[in-house]
Every structure is written in structure tokens, then in C-alpha cells.
Amino acid sequence: MCSPASIGQVYQTYGTHNPADASPCQEPSCIYPRAKGDPADPVWPVFWQADWTMYRVFSGYRQVPPPYPGRPPAPLRDGADYQTSSGATFYDSTWRGAAGEGAMMERYDGFCLPIFPIDNHFSCKFISLGNVAYFVAGDTRPKWMPRICLFSPLNHPPRPDFITHLPYSAADSARIGKGGQGYSFWISAADGHVMQAGASPDRTADGGILFGYGFQADAAGAVLPQSFYFSGYPLAPANAPIVSQNYTHFAPTQPGSDLWSEVAGLDPATLPACQLFNPPKPPQAAALSVSPPTARAPTWSDIGHWKP
């Protein structure tokens, strides 16, 4: 059961990271029906490991929407329109423990996941063991941030068939290229309903939040993860309207259990709640009991109750 302090840390993920009843899905059980002629749903291997390159796109994203077949295509320019960083994902759906089933780590090197209204120039990891998701920050994290905190008490790794929770998009698939399969929707931060299937046109300015996932067939015909494309926090300091993690060196091999050891023995009830979506005010603002006069945009934690 969630403690009072962690109730607000259950995020709506439309069946992907928590039960369907945690999100205002418009389809029963958050499963989207497929139309005649749509390709068969891809399924993740029961365990796998992959490196990826992350593109934080902050300019030109309306004209050049994701998914991207590799680096964002011209006319977007590295350094001028997007930033490149790296990381890796480790997944094992066969893991079992007191907190539930499935283990997963996403490791961000140098630049953390830019979906929060904070400067993301630090390394970080998200580790999920069963239903409990932990956040581990690197040494260059902000001074207010603990090294390990509780990200969510109800945020399990996606199941191998998680793609059933996203609508198929022929337009997204075409942008991936030959053998591509793209699945995405824009969610309204105001009411939590699906605004649109497919990544284009961009809905950032309308208070929408994108969640998308791409697959692509390899030379042998196996359909493998190609990219995870989504909305980051669109304003400074994150400045990440669109983010794409494009996979490289995908291998259906089992990660070592030592990857989870950093949090495996921790009692989540003893950890501080992460403040990633609602970071503390700067000391000078707190002393004056006022908020800094900056604009705000919705985050994933605002879905269903965002008010500009």
C-alpha cells in the first residue's frame, strides 16, 4: 500500500508501468484495438540489454517530428537544434521479488532524463524492481538532491507485450523506414485523455505530452526495438520538447543481478520521496516565500489535472 507521502508519486502510464485503473484510459484495460491490415504487435524478449543514443531536440521539432531512423535528419543540426548523449537499458522480466515481478535499469550518462523542470546535466539511473522504482543520481547532481530516492511505489517495468497499450501509427512507421513499426499518442495534460494517435502534428503548444515507441525488422526479419520517443520538459532549464532514445547494440541476453544490487536491499519506506517533478525553490525565493517568476509547462506528473 502506498504511504500518504507517496500517493502523488503514482503516475499515469496508461497500462505500461502500472495497472490500467491508475490512468483514465479510453479503451478497456488500456489496450488499443488494431485495424485490419495493421502489423502484428511486437513483443520484447523476456530479457535484453541495449545501448542507446539520446537526442534532446529543442529546435525545429515541429517541422521534423519523431520517430527518427537515426540521428534527427536535416535540416536539424547537432548542437544547434539538438543535443546528443548516451545511455543503456537492462531488462529482465523473469526477476521475482517481494515487490513484484520484473527488473529494469535505465542508465543516463552525463545527462539525465530531461522530463523534469531541472537542469539535467548529471548522470542518473532509474531502477525498477517489481512495482517499486528507485532513482539514483550521480555525483554532479544538484545539491538538494539525495543520491537515492523513491521515484514511485507503483511503477513496474513494462511487460514484454506492453505495446498493446499504444495505438499503431502508419505515419510514425513510415518515418522509421523499411520494416518500421511506430506506436504513439499525445495525452492531454489537462484531462488525461488521448488527443491524437501518431507523433505528427506536434501538440506541445496545446499542452500535450507524447509517448511513442518504435520497432524495426533486422536483416533476418526479427522485429527489434528501434527508438523510444517522447515529450521532455519543453521549457528551460531542461529545454527538451522532444526526446528520442535510439537503440544500438541490442542483445536478447540476461543482465547480471549485480545491476540491481545498489537498491535491492533497501526498504523503500525509509527513502525520501524524489522531488524531480517539483524541485525545491531556490533558497532566495524560499526566504521571501514567493515563487520565481518563471513560466511553467506540464510534466508527466501533471497529466489529468494540469491548470496553466
Side-chain angles (χ1 to χ4, degrees):
M1 180 175 292
C2 304
S3 68
S6 62
I7 291 296
Q9 293 175 258
V10 177
Y11 308 114
Q12 297 175 6
T13 62
Y14 296 77
T16 297
H17 289 282
N18 45 36
D21 58 11
S23 302
C25 296
Q26 289 142 281
E27 298 289 342
S29 300
C30 292
I31 294 179
Y32 284 82
R34 305 301 184 211
K36 185 177 180 180
D38 287 349
D41 285 349
V43 177
W44 272 353
V46 293
F47 39 69
W48 54 271
Q49 306 178 67
D51 297 325
W52 40 258
T53 302
M54 184 168 75
Y55 303 104
R56 176 180 65 90
V57 185
F58 48 83
S59 179
Y61 55 91
R62 295 181 184 88
Q63 292 73 38
V64 186
Y68 305 123
R71 66 175 53 252
L76 299 188
R77 297 162 298 160
D78 195 357
D81 301 299
Y82 64 89
Q83 177 198 55
T84 302
S85 58
S86 62
T89 297
F90 308 89
Y91 175 81
D92 187 353
S93 67
T94 69
W95 184 93
R96 297 292 183 271
E101 61 184 78
M104 187 174 191
M105 174 197 287
E106 289 186 294
R107 191 194 74 220
Y108 293 79
D109 301 331
F111 290 87
C112 192
L113 177 66
I115 67 172
F116 312 110
I118 58 176
D119 184 344
N120 72 319
H121 193 181
F122 62 97
S123 298
C124 71
K125 290 182 275 192
F126 292 84
I127 303 176
S128 295
L129 295 178
N131 289 324
V132 180
Y134 304 86
F135 179 76
V136 183
D139 291 340
T140 59
R141 65 189 181 276
K143 291 181 179 179
W144 57 266
M145 186 180 291
R147 192 177 76 83
I148 300 178
C149 58
L150 176 65
F151 181 67
S152 176
L154 189 59
N155 196 278
H156 60 66
R159 309 308 186 203
D161 64 350
F162 80 97
I163 207 66
T164 61
H165 300 301
L166 289 171
Y168 173 73
S169 170
D172 285 16
S173 302
R175 283 195 294 278
I176 293 172
K178 183 179 179 181
Q181 292 178 220
Y183 301 79
S184 70
F185 52 28
W186 285 89
I187 301 297
S188 166
D191 61 19
H193 292 166
V194 175
M195 304 170 71
Q196 166 185 304
S200 183
D202 186 89
R203 304 299 297 272
T204 303
D206 303 321
I209 294 178
L210 172 69
F211 186 96
Y213 208 92
F215 294 83
Q216 190 168 28
D218 65 10
V223 181
L224 304 175
Q226 183 268 339
S227 64
F228 171 33
Y229 48 104
F230 54 94
S231 292
Y233 188 72
L235 304 180
N239 194 17
I242 293 295
V243 185
S244 182
Q245 294 173 202
N246 285 56
Y247 294 100
T248 60
H249 306 108
F250 183 92
T253 53
Q254 188 168 24
S257 59
D258 58 307
L259 285 168
W260 338 118
S261 61
E262 197 166 11
V263 300
L266 298 179
D267 178 357
T270 66
L271 293 177
C274 295
Q275 292 181 266
L276 301 171
F277 287 114
N278 57 337
K281 299 175 184 177
Q284 63 272 26
L288 295 172
S289 298
V290 296
S291 297
T294 56
R296 282 203 67 239
T299 68
W300 279 98
S301 70
D302 294 313
I303 291 175
H305 49 81
W306 166 251
K307 292 186 179 8

